[in-house]
Amino acid sequence: MKDIVVGAFEVTYEWNAGRAASRFLEGLKQGRILGSRCLRCKRTLVPPSETCERCSGRTEEGIEAASIGTVVSFSIFPRDGGRQGIIMVRLDGADTDLLHLISPGAEDTIGIGARVCAVWRPPEERKGHILDIVGFEPC
Amino acid sequence: MNPVAVIGVGQTHHVSRRQDVNAPELVSEAVGEALTMAGIEPQDVEAVVFGAAIASIQEGFEHVGKWVNDSIGGYLKPCFRVQTGGTVGASAVIGAIYMVASGLFDIVLAAAGTPRAGASGAAAQRALALASDPIYRRGFSGGAVLGLALTFRQYMDRSGVTEEQAAQCVVQQRSNAGRNPFAHLREPVTIKDVLGSRPLAPPVKLLDMCPTSVGAGAVIITSGETVKKRKIPAAWIHGFASITEPATYPGRDPLEARAVREAAQHSYRMAGITDPRQDLDVVELYNACSYQQMHWSEALGLCKEGEGGRFLDSGATDFSGDLPINPSGGVLCTNNGSDAALLRVAEAALQVMGRAGEHQVPDARRSLAMGWGGNQQFASCIVLGQDRP
């Protein structure tokens, strides 16, 4: 005897970005990539957090990382009938890697070690969102 | 540490879908097997540690453990649920080990498993997406497969292993699963099958990945005193560790696999193992993706750095080799997100107890079980042996 009951539900959430992420997202609106630097171990965290995840040190805010960096890894996969490229990039000045997109059209030009630059949305279209950066492409 | 041992192990036959059992009934099957092997009654169990990964979304039921406790002897006893992503099953066993080793409890049940009520793979992907940061990460779809793809590519770049070698891992594991009646995917595959399978997130293809399985497992932990008193077979805990890395995937170095390294080193130190390649007879490691058994071979110190591919090619890790990896077929062939790591401990215990049936490795005196979860946030290692420490 196998009875199956079907159900579904929808829930709406409002996630607090938090202090560190809010500063990062505001920075994106201005075309800047901001991180935080641990006062104890001196690592620069991009995106920023208030506490260093390795040494539990407090961090100082507003450290600007470059919009250019080096590809650490990537994957390009089929999506919505086209392709999407995901990239892990070590921005110059950062001690952590940023997960983001390969700028549409640049997928075949990416390799580990490539130097890539952020492609920004026009200033009037930025919303304080991780996708204010469209993606990364070779410089 | 007070001597502590596994005296009972249970698992269900893992399949794609079960429509006959709810969560309590499913987990009870595995618990019943473990109780029978241990020769104890549910009333003898003094505490329960239940492991469930990403359960709320996957099961549409907040805190599956709450529901399951009633059917696995939890009444009037301490019952805890643990959650460490994919290694949750091993964490549940480690929780039970802590409790018995403390001297406060004598017989503790660790159980894990879920019926996967989320009716499609989309539920699992939605659940995994929910495990990532809503501000920075959630917009980039890809879940666990994406993280594996990024590390697989880095590992190939740094160590020189190929997709063909990763495919050979799948061939080997499926061949092993053919000897394990409890495994999910048991049919042989060829390298060509793997390389030609649908790309998910390159370099990861469909057959590089573990399945989604329905099943449950259980392990019963007791004290050395009880083993002596009851004169029952046991798999002794020689060493173990749980290690945690930062939550955000870009915040750690996935190639370094530091949590795995440290968990292994700590466990070996406790167990008095200085040369794991020689001192271990069988390894059950957490391979959610094909290439991982090569990567973990290095991180677990079973071979030298950068030698994971050569180690595979040597045949040493085949079922007939001198250090078989995953005679059960591993996670690659059987993956219930909740019991996958518990089964590594269960299988490692069965090996040293001589109870692994058709997939028994001859003369298995010492084994290693390894779990991995939360997209590399958590790692667990447990060394088991035939001899009382």
Side-chain angles (χ1 to χ4, degrees):
Chain A
M1 167 96 158
K2 297 174 188 178
D3 278 326
I4 297 171
V5 176
V6 176
F9 58 89
E10 192 176 288
V11 183
T12 305
Y13 293 93
E14 293 180 356
W15 293 290
N16 296 337
R19 287 185 288 251
S22 295
R23 285 190 278 269
F24 175 81
L25 296 172
E26 281 300 314
L28 291 184
K29 263 203 240 178
Q30 297 155 29
R32 303 166 71 208
I33 300 179
L34 298 178
S36 61
R37 179 177 298 130
C38 178
L39 295 167
R40 189 182 298 166
C41 71
K42 313 292 188 233
R43 290 167 67 239
T44 297
L45 314 177
V46 178
S49 67
E50 286 195 336
T51 304
C52 174
E53 79 283 359
R54 293 218 185 167
C55 75
S56 301
R58 297 291 294 170
T59 64
E60 61 175 330
E61 64 189 81
I63 309 298
E64 187 149 358
S67 296
I68 178 171
T70 307
V71 175
V72 172
S73 193
F74 65 96
S75 183
I76 299 159
F77 46 90
R79 192 174 180 203
D80 298 335
R83 294 198 293 172
Q84 180 166 87
I86 295 283
I87 198 170
M88 282 236 303
V89 55
R90 175 67 60 99
L91 294 173
D92 293 354
D95 292 299
T96 59
D97 301 326
L98 182 73
L99 188 77
H100 211 281
L101 299 172
I102 299 174
S103 190
E107 291 87 5
D108 296 322
T109 61
I110 299 294
I112 291 181
R115 298 285 288 163
V116 292
C117 290
V119 175
W120 293 90
R121 241 171 253 293
E124 65 275 9
E125 285 177 31
R126 295 179 204 152
K127 296 187 281 203
H129 189 279
I130 191 71
L131 292 177
D132 286 349
I133 296 172
V134 171
F136 285 78
E137 65 182 16
C139 303
Chain B
M1 186 180 90
N2 292 329
V4 155
V6 174
I7 54 166
V9 157
Q11 58 183 305
T12 63
H13 293 260
H14 286 64
V15 291
S16 302
R17 193 117 171 82
R18 293 244 347 227
Q19 296 181 326
D20 56 328
V21 289
N22 64 11
E25 290 163 353
L26 176 71
V27 180
S28 295
E29 286 182 8
V31 170
E33 295 291 322
L35 292 171
T36 300
M37 186 186 293
I40 64 175
E41 298 297 313
Q43 292 75 11
D44 299 326
V45 169
E46 296 166 21
V48 175
V49 187
F50 182 73
I54 57 162
S56 302
I57 297 301
Q58 180 57 62
E59 306 304 321
F61 191 100
E62 181 58 41
H63 191 12
V64 175
K66 166 184 153 67
W67 191 16
V68 168
N69 286 337
D70 292 351
S71 297
I72 61 172
Y75 184 61
L76 297 183
K77 296 162 194 169
C79 294
F80 300 107
R81 175 196 166 189
V82 294
Q83 156 60 312
T84 50
T87 195
V88 71
S91 297
V93 178
I94 288 175
I97 291 172
Y98 291 148
M99 293 172 90
V100 175
S102 73
L104 293 172
F105 297 90
D106 192 47
I107 299 179
V108 178
L109 168 67
T114 58
R116 302 195 79 103
S120 65
Q125 288 310 309
R126 187 65 57 87
L128 286 166
L130 251 87
S132 65
D133 179 298
I135 306 302
Y136 298 134
R137 303 278 325 267
R138 208 166 288 177
F140 307 121
S141 68
V145 175
L146 177 62
L148 291 164
L150 294 171
T151 307
F152 187 179
R153 190 179 295 286
Q154 280 183 278
Y155 182 63
M156 284 197 293
D157 183 69
R158 197 184 287 191
S159 73
V161 304
T162 62
E163 288 186 54
E164 283 78 7
Q165 284 172 304
Q168 176 57 31
C169 293
V170 185
V171 172
Q172 182 208 67
Q173 296 290 288
R174 286 287 192 103
S175 162
N176 289 353
R179 283 180 281 271
N180 177 8
F182 298 97
H184 181 184
L185 301 180
R186 305 182 60 206
E187 308 77 35
V189 292
T190 64
I191 289 183
K192 195 151 165 267
D193 291 334
V194 180
L195 294 179
S197 61
R198 177 168 64 92
L200 297 177
V204 175
K205 304 162 286 298
L206 183 67
L207 291 182
D208 285 308
M209 281 304 299
C210 53
T212 51
S213 317
V214 175
V219 167
I220 296 175
I221 300 289
T222 194
S223 67
E225 279 309 298
T226 292
V227 172
K228 195 160 100 174
K229 205 164 52 179
R230 288 180 178 241
K231 297 188 185 6
I232 41 184
W236 296 92
I237 305 297
H238 286 194
F240 68 97
S242 288
I243 303 288
T244 305
E245 283 202 74
T248 51
Y249 176 72
R252 64 180 101 89
D253 179 356
L255 267 193
E256 190 196 353
R258 191 155 177 197
V260 177
R261 271 173 213 288
E262 301 239 348
Q265 290 309 313
H266 189 100
S267 305
Y268 297 153
R269 262 197 306 279
M270 269 181 88
I273 287 179
T274 49
D275 185 352
R277 173 78 177 83
Q278 296 306 320
D279 294 341
L280 294 171
D281 300 306
V282 58
V283 172
E284 282 279 339
L285 52 74
Y286 197 101
N287 55 342
C289 189
S290 56
Y291 79 93
Q292 285 185 313
Q293 67 185 80
M294 295 185 283
H295 190 190
W296 299 156
S297 294
E298 297 175 29
L300 295 170
L302 307 178
C303 67
K304 291 203 183 75
E305 290 304 317
E307 296 286 302
R310 272 176 279 278
F311 191 43
L312 171 78
D313 292 342
S314 74
T317 66
D318 292 343
F319 185 62
S320 54
D322 60 82
L323 186 55
I325 286 181
N326 296 355
S328 65
V331 181
L332 199 59
C333 297
T334 305
N335 174 43
N336 176 275
S338 297
D339 79 5
L342 181 143
L343 291 187
R344 308 283 64 74
V345 185
E347 289 287 339
L350 287 171
Q351 290 290 338
V352 304
M353 289 167 92
R355 301 187 69 140
E358 206 194 331
H359 62 286
Q360 178 69 51
V361 170
D363 303 317
R365 301 196 60 84
R366 275 185 131 172
S367 60
L368 170 71
M370 173 233 165
W372 175 86
N375 213 349
Q376 205 160 292
Q377 184 172 10
F378 305 104
S380 325
C381 280
I382 304 180
V383 177
L384 299 102
Q386 277 185 359
D387 302 323
R388 185 183 171 116

